[in-house]
Each structure stands twice: as structure tokens, then as C-alpha cells.
């Protein structure tokens, strides 16, 4: 358990992680790179399509945080569950959901994952173990705890990854969930994506204890802070947490120190932080650039081979956006379906 | 190929904006993520980021331009190895074409404004709302033994039978296991099914309601007991946002088979925070089913149906009725249809509609009225959502008069809904305006005399029925 220091350097922007992280194999590094890049390109495209009026309402981009979901997903096995809030596009792609279906949901079309009735914040895939996609801050936490409860009830060794933000960490229901999860030793990893802001509120302005990995202390839940910009560090911490859960030892908290480059949602002018702050993280900690440099340095792939991966990813995303642009709006008869079954 | 940068929509409502400032000049290199311009929307000044790498080839809209419509090309970015001569070849990007042809409402509007020729969009008509259909009650075979039992026992038996039948059914809530239920409704369940399936929770309504929803999304069938529904307000977000809406928001993929049950309505002498009827609250919500039984048999048959139902069901019991006894058919599997009202007493002169505790006042009033020669028909709704409008309307077509009885408040109450449906579907049959008898428009008082005055009474119902009969 590594919940020692009260104050973290994360508050003033510096990353405390000089410690060595286990290396990835060539396959792992290349796979992680491609998957993170897929999320990045998907989100950039979603941003453009929002700008063109093809996507409506709220649209929360995941750019900058890609290493968190990709690293965590590498720790899962079939039957494990994932749940998160409204900043969910990356989680869905990480779960293996089809970019076409996700993008078509963003544009509110027939072949979106929710037939166009859920939108950016509300998508699900029973098949891929993705349980949403929830618009209410904090609500996924007890729901994820309930998914973990179902694993215990059924006596399997599956684990539920329950993601929430630094802002959500101040919701009362989070602590109600922590209590029950530890009391009943439920297999849930609480992944706190601390991207330093909840809309315009910097963590230090909202949180009496800004080291969120300590938030489980009074429930006896172990927690640790993780460099959420390094996919290898995420995977290593995730492996440990998931193994803890699978062994029946109860919940585990991982505080992912990460950063979102874009505004909270598309309409956020982001005046609560400086352009320089964003640029600095981007220049020094970008999860995808780190992976790219590593791959080149270790000669896992050449610049040319990486360009090919880039082109492949771009093609996949363009295909998704083309599909989502031309797919039909839901038939009016869908208005009344799916209220009950 | 050079790509165009289009005027972006930067908020859910933006149709046009001012191009405040260019931060890059023609010939500057840009990479993805660079801020190239600032745009003023009605709300804020926003930055436009480049999405592609290349060189800013040409600025099409100079800074200081006002009211630039969303999707207007504002600049051209040249790709690697392209020079300015390529600009004349620039074609509207594929997506811009798509944006035009695929007709996203916003882009279309903005364009229409720019040309000042509003293109009328064909308004789509909503389809007909489906009518809820419910089966009739099953026939009770002749000679079936009727067992008199309390509603408390009937509810317990319903849960026990369903738990024997389906291993995915479990009970969770405060004091449901070792204490045997705060109102002893779960008596004996822990002993029969063990602690894995009868689970005491901490006092954590918001949390365990959400946990129940999660377990249901995973395919289990939780019965979540609220010690009383007064405390379910802390869980309201999960009842409505998480349980009721997930099926719809997932396009039918992921449903939530769960029962939330517990005592609802006025209890005795516990004052405002512990004495309130939530019938109207839950009956407002599409995606929920709402049941509120009056007899032990209905309680049993409907709770069994609720547990089997693939949707979230609010099962509103009543503390005062827990100890009331009535006959329950002794059958292996007695299940009643959700959504079907029952004629508890037939009559020809006036229709009285109620449910749960209100039924006890309504039936007494009918007896009083009979003494005066007024033959009242009393309908027990049993299910509030989906509401059995057909049975109410058929009765009003016969009697021409209606009185609703509820413990809850009148404003936006269930009685108001019933009156509106009667007006919509049986207006021509009405011989008098529909009368509503309800709880008074005050928080429940503690003092015995005031509490009595705050609740509907038999005398009020009699008076209302007389009034609509002009007698
Ligand atoms: C209960 C609730 N309150 C407020 C909101 C509005 N809201 C949406 S996101 C958000 C900020 C949440 O920040 P955080 O948890 O840090 O997640 P992030 O957006 O950084 O991913 C707020 C206040 C909401 N959706 N739900
Ligand atoms: Mg945050």
C-alpha cells in the first residue's frame, strides 16, 4: 500500500513519478500505441463533427487521458465489467466497441449503440461488458459496486472497473459504496481519473484531501497514486489491483494522475487554466508521444511503420465518421420503443 | 489535398459567431492542437484548434468579421508538400458535403439564415402512443381453498416463493435479515435462504439503491426494501435516472429487472417526514411500473408478478395495512397481471376510484352511500402505472359520475390524472364534474386531531359522491 504522503506534487502540476515502471514487450507497446491513437483520433474527429453541428448537446472529450483506459483494459479478462460517467468514448473504444456504432450514437443515428436514444453520455454494450455511459456525476460508483456484487453473488472471479473523476470523488454515494464494497469484499477497482479539474474547479479548490488514493483509508481500502500518463505504469498498477480483487480481498483504489487537454465539454472556454499549463503537460507527458518515442528508441518499429499505423487508424476513424454522417436518423416509431420490455 | 477549416459550432446552441482574431498567419506551420483563431460566441470567447498538420495556406474570413455562420470555410490548410497553387483545387471537405446532405438541423439552419431563404424542414409527426394492455386476472379454480392471512404474510410468501423459484432473486435492505424486517415483512427469509440472499445493509439508501441497480444490470433480480419510502428520496436519482431510464437510453439493450418495495403513505402519529404518499411521484415516470395493493391476495399476486417483471417496479405497501387480514387463494403459483384494475364493488350510480389505503375509506363510504340508496361502484386501481384507463372509463360510461380518493396531495396528484383521463375519454358521459378527495395541502401534522383532519375521511367521500350525484 502506498498511501503515505499527505500532499502530492500532483497538485502543482509536477508528476511525482521518477520510479521505474516495468517495460512493455514490443507487442504490448505497439498495441497500446495503436489503441491510444485510435481514441485520440476518434476524439479529434468527434470534436470536428461537433463543430460542424453533426453532434449535439454535451460532448466530453477524453484527449490526454488515453493511457488510463488502455492500460487498465490490458488487465481484464472476459466477463469483467467496466462502467464510467459521461466522458466515456475512450472507455468504449478500449472495451472493443465498434467506432462506427459509437460515432453513430454521437450523431444520434439508427445504428448508434443506443439507436440514437442515448447520445454521447449514455451508451452500453452487454456483449463487451460496458455498463455505461452515465450522465450523473457519482452515479456509476454504486452501480459499479453492484456489478461487482453480482460477481460475488454468482461466485465467479470477475472484476468490475468503476471509473470516476476527481470531482465525482466528493459525492456522498462514493463513500456509501466504499463502505459496502469493503464490508462485503466486493471485487471492484475504483479508478479515480484525477485530471485535476472538475469543469472549472481545480482539485485543490474542491477537495480537503487532494491525495485521492487516501480516500479509502477509513474503510480500510488500499489505494495508490499512479502516473496515468504512462500506459505501462497504469497496467502495472492495474494488474496488482485486479489480482487483489480476483483473490477475494475486496476493493482497491487507483488514483490515476492524468490530464485533459480539451475543455470540460465542447463549449468550455477553459479560462480557469493557462494555455501554458496545457502545453507543458502535452509537451512533456503526452501518453501517446511517450509510447511513440519509446517504440522508436527500442526499435520496436520504424517511423515508417508507425506512419502506417497512423494511416490505418485514420482510415478507421474516417470510416466511422462517414458512417455516422450518413446513417439515417432513427425511425419515428422508435420514440415509444424501449420504455418497457 | 488542402483541407478547409470550417467555422465551428462551439456550443449546443451556436449558429453563428464573430471571428475575433487570427493567431496564425498565412504561411505559418500548424500542427494538430495548435490554436489558430479565436471566436466569440454569444457566451464566451473560444479557441479554434487545428485538427490537421500542415501550413496555413489561406485565410478566407479576415479577423473582425461578425456573424460568420457555422460551417462557413474560414481558412485552408495545406498538407505536406503542397503549395498555394493547390488552393484553387480545394473542394469542400467530404464532411462538409455530408453536413449539407445529411441535414443536421443546426448546419441547415445556419445556412438558411445566411441565404435568408428559410428552407422549411418537414416536421415529423409523433407516432401514436401505445396503449397499455393487461391480461385479466387468472381464474381461480372452483373449490380452491382460501386462506385468511395478513398482507405482511402474503408479501413474505410471495418473496419466498419467488426466491425458491429463481436463484437470481435476493432481498437487500436495512434490517431485512437478522432483525427480520423493520415491519417484519421479511420474517423467516434469512433462516430459509441464508445471508447470501437476504442481506442487511448499512443505512445507506443512495448507495444500496445504486448497488441494486448495478446488480440488476448484471442480470440479477434484486428486491430492494426501503424501511419506508420516506427514505427513498435519498435514492431518488438511482430510481429514476439509473433504473427507469437505462433501457431506453441503451436502445433496449440493457434493462433493469428490480423491485423497490416498502411501506408508503401516511403512518400513524409520526409527523411530516415519516408520513407521506409517493404514489404520484413515481407514477409520473416512464420506465417505472408502480403497484399499490390493498388486499392480501393482490399483494401476493402482484409482488410475484413484480419480481418476475423485466422492468423496474415500485411496489408501494402500507404500514397500516400490513396487519389487515383477507383471504388468499391457496395455489401453487398465484400471479396477477400488472396494470389491471379491479372492480372491488359494483354499482350503477357513481364511480369511486382509489388504491391502497384509500380503498378502505372508499369501501366504507360505499356502504354509507348504499344506506341512502346511492349505489357506488368502487374501482381498486392496484397498479398506478401503467394505469388501467379502460376500466375507469367503462365504469364512468355506466355511472356518469366519478370521485377519486387518495392520501397524497391534490396538486399534480393521481386523482388529477384520473380526472383528466375521464375528461379526455368519457366527457360526453359525465353528468357532473369529477370530484377529488385527497390529503390536505399541508405537511402531515403530529397532533392526533390535526392528523385526522389532514387525511381523507369516509365522510368526505360520502359528501363528494352525493355532490356529484346532486343528492
Ligand atoms: C450530480 C451531478 N452534478 C453536476 C453535474 C454537472 N457536471 C457534469 S461533469 C461535472 C464535473 C465533474 O468532474 P470530474 O468528476 O472531475 O470528471 P471530469 O469531467 O474531469 O472527467 C459536473 C459538475 C452532473 N452531471 N451531475
Ligand atoms: Mg476531473
Amino acid at each position: 500500500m502506498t498511501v503515505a504522503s499527505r500532499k502530492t506534487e500532483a497538485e502543482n502540476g509536477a508528476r511525482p513519478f521518477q520510479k521505474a515502471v516495468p517495460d512493455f514487450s514490443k507487442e504490448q507497446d505497439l498495441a497500446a500505441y495503436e489503441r491510444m491513437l485510435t481514441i485520440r483520433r476518434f476524439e479529434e474527429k468527434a470534436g470536428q463533427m461537433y463543430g460542424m453541428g453533426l453532434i449535439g448537446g454535451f460532448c466530453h472529450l477524453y484527449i490526454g487521458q488515453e493511457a488510463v483506459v488502455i492500460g487498465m483494459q490490458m488487465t481484464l479478462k472476459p466477463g469483467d465489467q467496466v462502467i464510467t460517467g459521461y466522458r466515456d468514448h475512450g472507455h468504449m473504444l478500449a472495451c472493443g466497441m465498434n467506432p462506427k456504432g459509437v460515432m453513430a450514437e454521437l450523431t444520434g443515428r439508427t445504428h448508434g449503440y443506443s439507436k440514437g436514444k442515448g447520445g454521447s453520455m449514455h451508451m452500453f454494450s452487454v456483449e463487451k461488458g460496458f455498463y455505461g455511459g452515465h450522465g450523473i456525476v457519482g452515479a456509476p460508483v454504486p452501480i459499479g459496486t453492484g456489478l461487482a456484487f453480482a460477481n460475488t453473488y454468482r461466485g465467479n472471479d470477475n472484476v468490475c472497473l468503476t471509473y470516476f473523476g476527481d470531482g465525482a470523488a466528493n459525492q456522498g454515494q462514493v463513500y456509501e459504496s466504499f463502505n459496502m464494497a469493503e464490508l462485503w469484499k466486493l471485487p471492484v477497482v475504483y479508478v479515480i481519473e484525477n485530471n485535476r479539474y472538475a469543469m472549472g474547479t481545480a482539485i485543490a479548490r474542491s477537495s480537503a484531501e487532494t491525495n485521492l488514493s487516501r480516500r479509502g483509508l477509513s474503510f480500510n481500502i488500499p489505494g495508490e497514486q499512479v502516473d496515468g500518463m504512462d500506459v505501462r505504469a497504469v497496467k502495472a498498477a492495474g494488474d496488482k489491483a485486479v489480482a487483489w480483487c480476483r483473490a477475494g480481498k475486496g476493493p482497491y483504489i487507483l488514483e490515476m494522475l492524468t490530464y485533459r487537454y480539451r475543455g470540460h465539454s465542447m463549449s468550455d472556454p477553459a479560462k480557469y487554466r493557462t494555455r501554458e499549463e496545457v502545453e507543458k503537460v502535452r509537451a512533456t507527458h503526452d501518453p501517446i508521444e511517450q509510447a511513440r518515442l519509446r517504440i522508436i528508441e527500442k526499435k520496436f518499429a520504424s517511423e515508417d511503420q508507425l506512419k502506417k499505423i497512423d494511416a490505418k487508424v485514420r482510415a478507421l476513424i474516417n470510416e466511422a465518421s462517414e458512417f455516422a454522417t450518413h446513417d439515417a436518423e432513427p425511425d419515428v416509431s422508435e420514440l415509444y420503443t424501449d420504455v418497457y420490455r | 489535398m488542402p483541407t478547409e477549416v470550417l467555422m465551428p459550432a462551439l456550443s449546443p446552441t451556436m449558429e453563428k459567431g464573430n471571428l475575433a482574431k487570427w493567431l496564425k498567419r498565412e504561411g505559418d506551420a500548424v500542427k494538430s492542437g495548435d490554436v489558430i483563431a479565436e471566436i466569440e460566441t454569444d457566451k464566451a470567447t473560444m479557441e479554434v484548434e487545428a485538427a490537421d498538420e500542415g501550413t496555413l495556406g489561406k485565410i478566407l474570413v479576415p479577423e473582425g468579421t461578425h456573424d460568420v455562420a457555422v460551417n462557413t470555410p474560414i481558412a485552408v490548410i495545406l498538407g505536406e508538400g503542397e503549395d498555394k497553387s493547390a488552393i484553387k483545387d480545394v473542394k469542400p471537405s467530404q464532411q462538409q458535403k455530408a453536413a449539407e446532405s445529411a441535414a443536421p438541423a443546426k448546419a441547415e439552419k445556419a445556412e438558411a439564415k445566411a441565404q435568408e431563404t428559410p428552407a422549411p424542414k418537414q416536421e415529423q409527426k409523433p407516432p401514436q402512443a401505445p396503449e397499455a394492455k393487461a391480461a385479466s386476472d387468472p381464474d381461480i379454480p372452483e373449490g380452491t381453498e382460501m386462506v385468511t392471512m395478513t398482507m405482511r404474510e402474503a408479501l413474505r410468501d410471495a418473496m419466498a416463493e419467488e426466491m425458491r423459484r429463481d436463484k437470481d432473486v435476493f432481498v437487500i435492505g436495512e434490517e431485512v435479515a437478522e432483525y427480520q424486517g423493520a415491519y417484519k415483512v421479511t420474517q423467516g427469509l434469512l433462516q430459509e435462504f441464508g445471508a447470501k440472499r437476504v442481506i442487511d445493509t448499512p443505512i445507506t439508501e443512495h448507495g444500496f439503491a445504486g448497488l441494486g441497480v448495478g446488480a440488476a444490470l448484471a442480470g440479477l433480480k434484486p428486491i430492494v426494501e426501503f424501511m419506508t419510502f420516506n427514505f427513498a428520496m435519498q435514492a431518488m436519482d438511482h430510481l429514476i435516472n439509473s433504473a427507469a431510464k437505462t433501457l431506453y437510453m441503451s436502445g433496449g439493450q440493457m434493462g433493469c429487472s428490480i423491485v423497490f418495495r416498502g411501506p408508503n403513505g401516511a403512518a400513524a402519529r409520526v409527523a411530516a417526514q415519516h408520513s407521506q404518499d409517493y404514489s404520484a411521484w413515481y407514477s409520473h415516470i416512464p420506465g417505472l411500473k408502480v403497484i399499490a395493493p390493498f388486499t392480501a391476495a393482490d399483494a401476493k399476486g402482484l409482488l410475484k408478478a413484480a419480481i418476475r417483471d423485466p422492468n423496474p417496479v415500485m411496489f408501494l405497501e402500507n404500514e397500516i395495512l400490513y396487519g389487515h387480514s383477507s383471504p388468499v387463494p391457496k395455489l401453487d403459483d398465484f400471479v396477477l397481471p400488472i396494470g389491471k384494475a379491479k372492480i372491488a364493488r359494483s354499482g350503477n350510480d357513481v364511480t369511486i376510484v382509489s388504491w391502497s389505503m384509500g380503498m378502505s375509506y372508499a369501501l366504507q363510504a360505499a356502504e354509507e352511500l348504499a344506506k341512502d340508496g346511492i349505489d357506488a361502484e368502487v374501482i381498486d386501481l392496484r397498479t398506478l402505472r401503467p394505469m388501467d384507463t379502460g376500466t375507469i372509463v367503462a365504469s364512468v360510461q355506466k355511472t356518469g359520475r366519478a370521485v377519486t380518493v387518495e392520501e397524497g396531495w391534490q396538486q399534480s396528484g393521481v386523482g388529477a390524472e384520473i380526472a383528466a383521463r375521464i375528461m379526455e375519454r368519457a366527457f360526453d358521459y359525465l353528468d357532473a364534474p369529477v370530484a377529488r378527495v385527497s390529503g390536505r395541502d399541508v405537511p402531515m401534522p403530529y397532533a392526533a386531531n390535526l392528523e385526522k383532519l389532514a387525511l381523507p375521511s369516509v365522510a368526505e367521500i360520502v359528501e363528494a359522491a352525493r355532490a356529484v350525484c346532486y343528492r
Side-chain angles (χ1 to χ4, degrees), chain A residues 41 44-45 47-58 81 83 97 105 109 113-119 121-127 129-155 171-173 175-177 179-181 183-184 186 261-263 265-271 275 279 282 307 314 317-318 321-322 325-327 329-341, chain B residues 6-13 31-35 38 43-47 49-53 70-71 80 93-99 101-107 121 124-130 166-170 172 196-197 199-220 234 237-238 241-242 244 246-257 285-289 309-312 385-386:
Chain A
R41 295 285 174 260
E44 286 168 355
K45 184 63 84 179
Q48 287 170 32
M49 289 173 67
Y50 191 95
M52 288 159 53
L54 283 162
I55 297 172
F58 294 130
Q81 306 122 322
I83 186 169
M97 288 167 69
E105 190 59 39
R109 306 299 170 98
Y113 267 97
S114 300
K115 298 188 202 161
K117 297 198 240 186
M121 302 186 282
H122 318 102
M123 268 181 261
F124 308 79
S125 170
V126 181
E127 188 202 341
F130 183 70
Y131 287 80
H134 295 265
I136 303 298
V137 167
V141 183
I143 300 176
T145 309
L147 292 166
F149 173 92
N151 297 336
T152 301
Y153 189 88
R154 293 188 165 124
Q171 275 269 346
Q173 58 187 320
Y175 300 93
E176 298 192 21
S177 303
N179 186 40
M180 289 185 285
L183 191 62
W184 300 331
L186 303 180
Y261 299 170
R262 296 295 187 96
S265 65
M266 287 301 296
S267 47
D268 172 12
K271 295 297 178 223
R275 188 82 209 160
E279 279 312 323
R282 217 184 175 121
K307 274 205 170 130
R314 265 189 207 281
I317 299 307
N318 283 338
S321 91
E322 278 297 303
T325 305
H326 296 289
D327 191 26
E329 287 186 313
D331 191 82
V332 291
S333 66
E334 285 292 344
L335 183 62
Y336 284 113
T337 59
D338 307 323
V339 180
Y340 298 100
R341 66 175 178 193
Chain B
L6 305 180
M7 181 72 170
L10 295 170
S11 83
T13 48
K31 59 178 192 313
S32 170
D34 281 352
V35 179
E38 277 180 10
K43 281 205 297 204
T45 302
M46 306 274 295
E47 295 170 338
E49 289 181 10
D52 293 291
E53 266 185 31
V70 164
N71 275 332
E80 215 177 299
S93 64
Q94 291 228 314
Q95 285 196 340
Q96 194 200 356
K97 272 187 283 169
S101 65
K106 215 175 299 164
K121 186 172 174 167
Q124 289 183 321
K125 276 219 181 73
Q128 190 75 30
D166 184 349
K167 280 204 292 294
D168 286 344
V169 179
F170 65 95
I172 185 166
K196 192 190 142 198
R197 297 181 67 193
I199 301 149
D200 280 327
T201 64
I203 308 160
T204 189
E205 280 78 4
H206 196 183
F208 71 69
L211 183 143
V213 170
L217 293 182
L220 298 181
Q234 296 198 341
D237 178 53
H238 283 295
N241 276 320
S242 308
T246 298
L247 183 68
Y248 196 79
M249 293 197 306
S250 68
Q253 233 195 109
M254 199 171 279
C256 189
S257 179
I285 310 299
L288 292 180
K289 294 189 177 181
D309 197 278
N311 301 287
R385 175 180 265 275

Side-chain angles (χ1 to χ4, degrees), chain B residues 50-65:
Chain B
D52 293 291
E53 266 185 31
T55 315
L56 187 59
K58 190 168 173 57
I59 287 174
L60 302 173
V61 176
E63 63 183 33
T65 310

Side-chain angles (χ1 to χ4, degrees), chain B residues 288-319:
Chain B
L288 292 180
K289 294 189 177 181
V290 186
I291 297 172
F294 171 58
T295 65
D298 287 348
K300 184 173 181 189
L302 286 167
L303 183 53
K304 280 166 68 78
I307 295 166
R308 290 183 199 184
D309 197 278
N311 301 287
V313 181
M314 309 304 300
F315 199 89
L316 309 177
E317 299 158 9
N318 185 286
E319 185 192 328

Side-chain angles (χ1 to χ4, degrees), chain A residues 60 65 86-87 135-137 165-168 171 193 195 197-199 260 264:
Chain A
H60 308 88
Q65 301 179 218
Y86 44 83
R87 196 179 300 286
I136 303 298
V137 167
D166 48 288
Q171 275 269 346
E193 298 196 64
N195 59 13
Y197 296 92
M199 280 183 75
R260 74 166 150 72
H264 167 71

